């Protein structure tokens, strides 16, 4: 891939790493640049299991979406979606039911630009450029209004997202604003980094990303703190657990290194 593609806005400096493109690289995708790959190579030196963790997170996305579909959900909102490649939400959902509708949300202009390209022609999928702190703007966007029926359950995914929301932003109040816009029967899926295990490794990688992108610092939380984010939702079995332990269905869902399975937590809640 050349170092400048048509889908990259002219205002974007491809020499500066993008977390969306770096995530794509970790998943084995092709929509990334040298700066993104160099960032990940540094991160993997600090946390050798990083690639496995990211792929476990993606595998959880698939399991969570299939579970929600089994519960009658046919429309989805993916906040902090990144670039929708390599096992993305709409691919998983449409394999189960081609009538599913998906709205992706990201604030990264590169992620949005590329999403617009690969989703062109998709009648049931859209991308919104917005910040997680603006649920009203997200739900009231033309894209969401065109695809999401507010009277029907929605599956909301916030994967590897909420640890970028500092306490001063009021994450619980923020999630309440999302919950209040959802019909009964809606679901919320979360994966979140924790400092319950290997705090130094996770903090080191988060600091590296922050320095490279001028992002907010990561907010590592305990199991108990993450569990409170499901306030107003009923956690489905097995509750909030290590990502690899949430209803694994095969070898790709769980690492053979037991400690990796619980370095970040995953859970799905249902709005009664």
């Amino acid at each position: 891939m050349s170092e400048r593609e048509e889908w990259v806005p002219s205002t974007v400096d491809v020499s500066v790493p993008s977390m969306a493109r770096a995530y794509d690289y970790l998943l084995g995708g092709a929509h990334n640049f040298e700066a993104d790959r160099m960032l990940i190579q540094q991160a993997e030196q600090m946390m050798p299991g990083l690639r496995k963790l990211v792929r476990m997170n993606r595998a959880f996305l698939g399991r969570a979406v299939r579970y929600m579909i089994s519960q009658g959900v046919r429309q989805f909102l993916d906040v902090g979606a990144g670039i929708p490649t390599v096992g993305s939400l709409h691919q998983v959902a449409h394999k189960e039911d081609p009538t599913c509708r998906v709205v992706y949300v990201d604030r990264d202009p590169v992620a949005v630009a590329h999403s617009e390209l690969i989703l062109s022609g998709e009648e049931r999928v859209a991308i919104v450029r917005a910040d997680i702190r603006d649920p009203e703007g997200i739900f009231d966007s033309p894209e969401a209004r065109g695809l999401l029926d507010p009277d029907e359950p929605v599956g909301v995914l916030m994967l590897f997202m909420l640890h970028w929301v500092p306490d001063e932003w009021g994450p619980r109040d923020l999630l309440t604003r999302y919950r209040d816009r959802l019909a009964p029967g809606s679901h919320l899926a979360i994966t979140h980094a924790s400092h319950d295990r290997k705090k130094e490794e996770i903090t080191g990688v988060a600091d590296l990303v922050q320095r490279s992108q001028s992002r907010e610092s990561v907010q590592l939380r305990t199991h108990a703190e993450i569990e409170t984010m499901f306030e107003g939702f009923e956690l489905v079995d097995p509750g909030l657990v290590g990502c690899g332990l949430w209803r694994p269905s095969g070898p790709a869902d769980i690492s053979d290194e037991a400690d990796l399975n619980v370095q970040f937590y995953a859970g799905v809640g249902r709005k009664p």
Side-chain angles (χ1 to χ4, degrees):
M1 178 176 289
S2 68
E3 291 301 289
R4 171 64 66 178
E5 296 286 343
E6 292 181 359
W7 54 269
V8 182
S10 60
T11 55
V12 173
D13 183 356
V14 297
S15 68
V16 177
S18 158
M19 202 58 219
R21 297 192 310 252
Y23 192 78
D24 173 77
Y25 173 61
L26 282 166
L27 291 171
H31 302 98
N32 50 79
F33 296 105
E34 183 63 23
D36 311 310
R37 297 187 284 271
M38 289 179 64
L39 172 65
I40 292 306
Q41 289 162 12
Q42 293 178 59
E44 286 187 300
Q45 291 178 1
M46 303 169 71
M47 180 182 281
L50 180 61
R51 193 174 300 263
K52 289 183 179 180
L53 290 175
V54 166
R55 294 184 179 186
M56 287 166 59
N57 183 65
R58 188 62 112 189
F60 167 76
L61 179 151
R63 301 197 303 279
V65 169
R66 287 189 290 271
Y67 171 78
M68 293 180 193
I69 290 175
S70 76
Q71 300 303 300
V73 175
R74 293 295 183 274
Q75 49 184 1
F76 297 88
L77 181 69
D78 188 349
V79 182
I83 300 173
T85 61
V86 192
S88 57
L89 196 161
H90 76 281
Q91 294 171 339
V92 174
H94 286 169
K95 186 174 181 179
E96 299 296 313
D97 185 342
T99 69
C100 288
R101 305 181 303 283
V102 177
V103 175
Y104 290 114
V105 179
D106 206 287
R107 72 177 187 178
D108 184 333
V110 175
V112 172
H114 188 55
S115 297
E116 289 173 342
L117 175 68
I118 66 174
L119 298 176
S120 62
E122 290 275 3
E123 296 181 357
R124 300 179 184 273
V125 189
I127 176 74
V128 176
R129 184 180 178 190
D131 193 285
I132 189 175
R133 291 172 287 180
D134 186 21
E136 293 79 18
I138 292 170
F139 281 105
D140 293 334
S141 67
E143 295 84 359
R145 284 185 174 274
L147 288 175
L148 303 181
D149 183 345
D151 297 323
E152 296 295 328
V154 178
V156 179
L157 289 86
M158 296 184 180
L159 308 187
F160 273 9
M161 184 65 210
L162 290 168
H163 45 241
W164 294 109
V165 177
D167 287 340
E168 52 265 33
W169 290 5
R172 289 176 59 185
D173 292 339
L174 177 60
L175 285 168
T176 296
R177 290 160 59 197
Y178 279 91
R179 188 191 68 221
D180 290 347
R181 296 293 296 258
L182 300 174
S186 294
H187 288 68
L188 171 66
I190 292 172
T191 58
H192 194 302
S194 172
H195 53 39
D196 286 348
R197 297 169 184 263
K198 296 196 173 182
K199 180 177 180 178
E200 291 185 3
E201 284 188 8
I202 295 175
T203 302
V205 170
D207 289 346
L208 174 66
V209 172
Q210 181 190 5
R211 291 194 303 272
S212 70
Q213 299 186 284
S214 298
R215 291 189 62 138
E216 298 83 8
S217 60
V218 71
Q219 183 75 56
L220 299 176
R221 297 182 172 96
T222 65
H223 181 278
E225 289 170 330
I226 299 167
E227 196 169 44
T228 65
M229 294 182 172
F230 287 97
E231 183 178 0
F233 293 88
E234 298 172 344
L235 275 169
V236 303
D237 289 337
L240 183 67
V241 296
C243 185
L245 305 180
W246 197 92
R247 302 189 177 209
S249 58
D253 297 341
I254 191 167
S255 173
D256 55 5
E257 300 173 49
D259 199 45
L260 287 179
N261 299 307
V262 291
Q263 283 194 25
F264 63 102
Y265 293 114
V268 175
R270 179 185 181 276
K271 180 178 177 178

